[in-house]
Structures are given as structure tokens and as C-alpha cells.
Amino acid sequence: MSDTAAPPATPEVCDFVVFGGTGDLSLRKLLPALYRRELEGGLPEDTRIIGVSRADLDDEAYRAVVRDALASHVERSDLYDGAVDRLLSRLHHVPMEFDDLAQWHLLHGLLKDRPRVEEAVTVFYLAVAPSAFGLICDQLDEVGLVSERSRVVMEKPIGHDLASSQQVNDAVGRVFAESQVFRIDHYLGKESVQNLLVTRFANTFLEPLWNSRWVDHVQITVAESLGVGERGAYYDRAGALRDMVQNHLLQLLCLVAMEPPTYIGRETVRDEKLKVLQALKPMTPADVDRDTVRGTYGEGLVEGQPVRSYADDLGEAAPESGSTTETFVALRTEVQNWRWAGVPFYLRTGKRLPRRTSEIVVVFKAPPHHMFPHSEGSAEPNRLHIQVQPDEGMRLTMTAKEPGPGGYRLRPVSLDLSYADTFDQRSPDAYERLIMDVVKGNATLFMRRDEIEAAWSWAEPILDRWTTAPDRPRRYAAGTSGPTAATALIERDGRSWQEIE
Ligand code: BG6
């Protein structure tokens, strides 16, 4: 798996082994994504999909479970009997307790019992709790299932702080070489996120402006209208900083801030992202108090529907002493390098905000001189909006003259690029792209170990300070844009958040 500019080839023979094959992630995301690749003829011809879980299911029973999952998670108009049957015929299920070696031998038997076994690429997808990653890797090694053609996929959370992420990475790294490890951040698989690389590096007009000389600040918002749903037990141990900021928002920040790599390749892109993470301004306790705001949603109205508070959503998952977990974070950081010196990056994410939207806004500096003394309106700073989801697209706001005689009337207008209108085709789900990249061995859109650790090194002082700080997360009503302190955080710098419309 060398890092060249040549596109990696799709292997012809592949076994896709999903640990946690009956879990929520598999049934809601992975198997629907595999179905879509099946539908579009993208799966290697000789592919088998092997679900591994504690459930006592034979192949037929597992196929029935997956058939139901596809019916629930793929749009009806995209379900075709032929493609569903083809996918189901690829499925097998191995019931397993991970510490029972006898059951690993059954898996071994199944994987070795296939035509062209010596050509097969084997993907081990760890869609289980990270505490099981080490044991699974050891058992794979023990029964002789790890070879040069094996790949392992890890889902987040990879640890809950730097030390625990190192432990997980060490455990997996004892068995798999770093080049075989694929750490998923599904935000990197989103079409609009990949397009950010193309926008920046396949056009020339932005590059001269993409620096502290012309950019006033950058805002990254990932807003969700949903609450924590059934995931309270996990979420209350994580919180928004670990769940969203340490990974998804920092990855978006990296793609905005990174230097142009020599070409888009596995190590070149990851090297540049790493440099950004390492250049993030370290947070002292005083910085954390001043530059971060955390909140927890109370009850309220979201999209016209009354919803419960976070505490009520947690129910029995709530700790006895009450939860102090944040469901909202806003913070200000800087990338301390030549390009970005002094430019604030404002990051914001939360659950139960007014609607689901993820957007990056690059706000340029105001024109240095006001040249229309008797005009109506003013020349507002240009803003480049990169709409990650939904309705992927890009919008550049600029100032134009309203037509007509009688002086200058300055009005903000926008140049709009809508993906849906421009390309008139479906945007694949992030998992479709990422799964196929694993099969092909293309790790460009996956996180390297040193990136994860650099992200934790930056996030950990925030978590530490929050643990000892006297104040608790501020309450915000569900359906609002977060605590008022988050508004104050940016307004104190004379700026304001893009509205979560
Ligand atoms: C996951 C988080 O990584 O991303 C969830 O664990 C969150 O809490 C989800 O809801 C958001 O992903 P998306 O693709 O819906 O924006």
C-alpha cells in the first residue's frame, strides 16, 4: 500500500467481516451502504460479508435481520429485489463470544474455505465498543487470520483521552501495521467535505486570499436538531467535545486550514492535517474559562415539536449525582502558523439546536476603504459559506449595486452552487465512499494515529479544566442556538455567529 498518486485498484476477491454485525451501526449504516454499492455494481465480484455477533443466528436468520434493516434504512424507491437478494446471498453470520477461541476457529474455517483464498483481501470492521478492539485483534492474530492483505477498521470513540487512545492504538498496533489500520471519521467521507479539498486546490482564485491578510475569521458549525435518543449511556460519558469536536469539527478545521500537499495522497494529506492540529493554540485553564462555553439542553420546541430535556432523555442512564455532560460546545481557537496567525476559528456544535445543519463560513475582511459616501447600504465583508449538510453546496456573499438611477444602493447578493441542481445525481452516504476506500486500501480519508493523538493533546486540557471548574454546563432551551454565553463569546470580538436558519 504505497502512497502514490495512482488510483488504488479494487480487488476482485474480498471478505468483509463486521464485528458487531447485528449492532445499530451495522444495520443502520454499513449494510445499507454495502447494499448501495451492490446496487451500483461497485462491490468486488467475489465479496462475502460476514457478520460476527453474540446473537445466536445462522446465515438464514441473519439474512432475515438484514433484509428488515434494509427495508427500514434504504429509501423504498431504491430497493430492488434483485440487488437485495444478491447482497443477502453474500451474507454469513458467525455467533461469537470474543474470549472463546473455539468460535474463532469457526471464523477461521469460514474465511479459509473459499475459492481464490490466497487473493482475498480481508476487511475486519470493528463496529463494537473500543474496549473489545484489543481482544479481537489478539484473537485474529492467534488463529492466524492476519496477513498483508488484511485491513482493520476502527470506529470512534478511539479512547476518551490521550492515554486511553494510546492504549487502544497500541493494542491494535501490536497486530496490524499502521498502513493496515483505517480509523473512520465519517465526516471525511461526506461529498461536500471532499469537495472542500477540490475547491481549495483545483482552483486558483481562493489561494491568494486564504490567509490572515484577507480572512477575518472562520466559523464551523455542526448543529443537530436531534437529542441523544437511545444513546444516553454512551453519550453521557462522552459529551459534545469528545463526540463531535475532537474528531469531526477538528477534521473540518484541518481541511480549511491545511497547506496544499504536493498531491492528494494518503500520507501527504495526513501530514498536512497533522501540522494544523499541532499548530492549534494550546488551552491554559484561563483560556478554557474565557474561550469555551458548554451547555446542556433543557426542554423546548424543536421544529415545532415539544421535546424533553437532556436529563429526561437520559432517564435511567443518568448518574446518581446528576449529569454534568455538555450537549453543546462553542469555542474560539487559533492556528498558530504563518498563514493563520491571529485569525480566530470559532467552533460550535450541539444537540437539540433549531435544525440540522453543518456549515463552514470563511468571513473575509471588510473593504479597507469606504468609497461610496452617499450610498444606501454598505459594503459587507464577503463570506464563503460551505454547506456540508443538508443541501450540500457553496455560497459566496458579495455586495452588488441594486439596479436603477439615483445613486448607489449597495445590497448583499450571493453566488450559489447547489450540488443537487448542478450535478443532478444522488450524493452517496459517507460510508459508501469510506467502505470502498478500505476495500481498495486507500487511507487518504482516514485518520492516522498521530492525528488522533494530536487532537486529544489539544482537547484534553479543556476536559481537565471542565472537570475542576466550579461552573456546570449552562442550560439552553431545546430549539434555540445554545446558551447566550456562546453568543457573547463571539460578540466580545465584535463578530457574530451565522444564524442556524
Ligand atoms: C456521530 C456522533 O459521530 O456523528 C453523533 O457520535 C452525531 O452523536 C453524528 O449525531 C452526526 O453525524 P451526521 O453525519 O448525522 O452529521
Side-chain angles (χ1 to χ4, degrees):
M1 288 189 246
S2 68
D3 189 26
T4 68
T10 309
E12 286 180 12
V13 187
C14 177
D15 281 330
F16 199 91
V17 184
V18 188
F19 292 94
T22 52
D24 181 63
L25 177 72
S26 302
L27 298 180
R28 209 165 38 83
K29 289 284 186 190
L30 303 182
L31 286 149
L34 286 161
Y35 168 75
R36 288 191 171 282
R37 298 321 304 144
E38 176 76 77
L39 182 63
E40 289 173 19
L43 287 185
E45 204 175 304
D46 194 353
T47 297
R48 298 187 301 177
I49 302 164
I50 299 162
V52 178
S53 79
R54 289 210 180 97
D56 186 17
L57 300 173
D58 61 14
D59 292 351
E60 280 315 311
Y62 186 52
R63 288 172 187 156
V65 170
V66 174
R67 187 186 286 280
D68 287 349
L70 295 181
S72 310
H73 301 297
V74 177
E75 289 96 74
R76 225 187 154 80
S77 55
D78 289 339
L79 280 175
Y80 294 90
D81 289 347
V84 171
D85 290 345
R86 270 201 312 282
L87 185 84
L88 295 184
S89 71
R90 298 180 187 279
L91 290 180
H92 300 267
H93 183 259
V94 177
M96 185 184 286
E97 293 294 337
F98 296 142
D99 53 4
D100 182 347
L101 207 56
Q103 292 163 333
W104 285 92
H105 286 292
L106 292 179
L107 178 64
H108 180 271
L110 181 61
L111 287 174
K112 296 298 170 194
D113 179 21
R114 59 134 52 249
R116 302 168 73 184
V117 64
E118 65 295 336
E119 285 173 55
V121 162
T122 314
V123 174
F124 298 111
Y125 200 114
L126 308 183
V128 291
S131 52
F133 290 1
L135 177 60
I136 293 176
C137 293
D138 287 345
Q139 302 285 52
L140 286 171
D141 193 30
E142 175 75 25
V143 293
L145 279 175
V146 179
S147 76
E148 275 184 359
R149 290 186 315 284
S150 314
R151 287 151 202 173
V152 64
V153 186
M154 291 157 82
E155 274 287 341
K156 70 172 249 285
I158 299 174
H160 56 268
D161 56 15
L162 179 60
S164 55
S165 81
Q166 284 168 332
Q167 275 167 13
V168 174
N169 283 323
D170 284 346
V172 174
R174 274 194 289 276
V175 176
F176 291 94
E178 179 63 27
S179 61
Q180 297 177 290
V181 180
F182 291 73
R183 298 178 190 83
I184 287 223
D185 185 310
H186 76 279
Y187 267 61
L188 295 178
K190 292 182 190 275
E191 281 292 327
S192 45
V193 175
Q194 292 164 52
N195 189 40
L196 182 51
L197 287 176
V198 176
T199 303
R200 284 198 58 200
F201 301 134
N203 295 291
T204 49
F205 74 103
L206 281 176
E207 179 54 23
L209 308 176
W210 210 254
N211 53 51
S212 60
R213 193 152 168 227
W214 296 106
V215 173
D216 178 75
H217 73 281
V218 177
Q219 297 185 18
I220 302 178
T221 298
V222 178
E224 296 185 88
S225 53
L226 293 177
V228 290
E230 304 300 308
R231 299 166 72 228
Y234 151 76
Y235 193 88
D236 201 57
R237 274 180 279 113
L241 192 87
R242 289 188 176 94
D243 187 52
M244 297 294 289
V245 177
Q246 184 269 349
N247 35 73
H248 306 323
L249 276 87
L250 286 189
Q251 287 293 317
L252 295 180
L253 185 154
C254 283
L255 296 182
V256 172
M258 69 193 243
E259 294 301 314
T262 42
Y263 61 90
I264 302 298
R266 185 178 75 212
E267 302 313 335
T268 52
V269 170
R270 304 198 296 182
D271 285 347
E272 296 305 336
K273 286 195 293 159
L274 176 66
K275 288 182 208 159
V276 175
L277 293 167
Q278 289 170 333
L280 286 175
K281 184 176 172 216
M283 291 256 192
T284 64
D287 293 336
V288 175
D289 294 348
R290 192 188 53 240
D291 291 340
T292 71
V293 172
R294 55 193 166 132
T296 303
Y297 62 83
E299 57 192 23
L301 272 186
V302 177
E303 291 162 348
Q305 298 299 318
V307 297
R308 300 188 304 185
S309 66
Y310 175 64
D312 287 342
D313 276 351
L314 277 185
E316 289 181 1
E320 267 177 28
S321 53
S323 169
T324 54
T325 298
E326 79 287 355
T327 61
F328 174 97
V329 181
L331 60 85
R332 177 193 195 280
T333 185
E334 287 178 23
V335 178
Q336 296 182 313
N337 63 15
W338 187 298
R339 185 188 286 269
W340 294 114
V343 177
F345 283 71
Y346 299 97
L347 273 45
R348 175 175 59 154
T349 185
K351 300 220 181 265
R352 288 293 189 218
L353 298 184
R355 69 180 198 101
R356 177 174 185 252
T357 177
S358 301
E359 190 177 46
I360 301 166
V361 186
V362 179
V363 182
F364 292 90
K365 295 207 163 149
H369 173 57
H370 184 60
M371 296 175 61
F372 301 92
H374 306 297
S375 61
E376 191 190 303
S378 58
E380 296 293 320
N382 299 122
R383 289 173 171 242
L384 179 67
H385 300 251
I386 299 155
Q387 183 70 32
V388 174
Q389 63 188 18
D391 307 328
E392 297 140 324
M394 217 170 275
R395 184 157 50 95
L396 179 65
T397 57
M398 30 191 304
T399 304
K401 175 184 176 296
E402 193 180 295
Y408 288 95
R409 286 184 296 279
L410 307 187
R411 296 285 181 261
V413 291
S414 57
L415 297 175
D416 266 316
L417 167 73
S418 147
Y419 267 40
D421 295 348
T422 307
F423 295 105
D424 193 23
Q425 64 188 49
R426 182 183 73 90
S427 262
D429 180 76
Y431 277 95
E432 291 177 53
R433 161 77 198 245
L434 295 175
I435 283 174
M436 292 317 291
D437 276 357
V438 177
V439 170
K440 293 175 191 166
N442 179 7
T444 307
L445 298 177
F446 295 80
M447 291 178 297
R448 209 166 54 194
R449 175 176 180 154
D450 47 10
E451 282 182 76
I452 303 263
E453 293 180 359
W456 276 124
S457 299
W458 175 81
E460 209 173 67
I462 304 176
L463 294 163
D464 289 349
R465 174 61 189 159
W466 284 352
T467 317
T468 55
D471 58 330
R472 292 162 72 102
R474 294 157 200 265
R475 203 174 156 90
Y476 59 98
T480 65
S481 300
T484 47
T487 312
L489 171 84
I490 190 166
E491 288 190 347
R492 132 193 125 201
D493 294 348
R495 303 179 173 108
S496 57
W497 291 109
Q498 182 67 32
E499 266 186 44
I500 302 174
E501 297 146 353

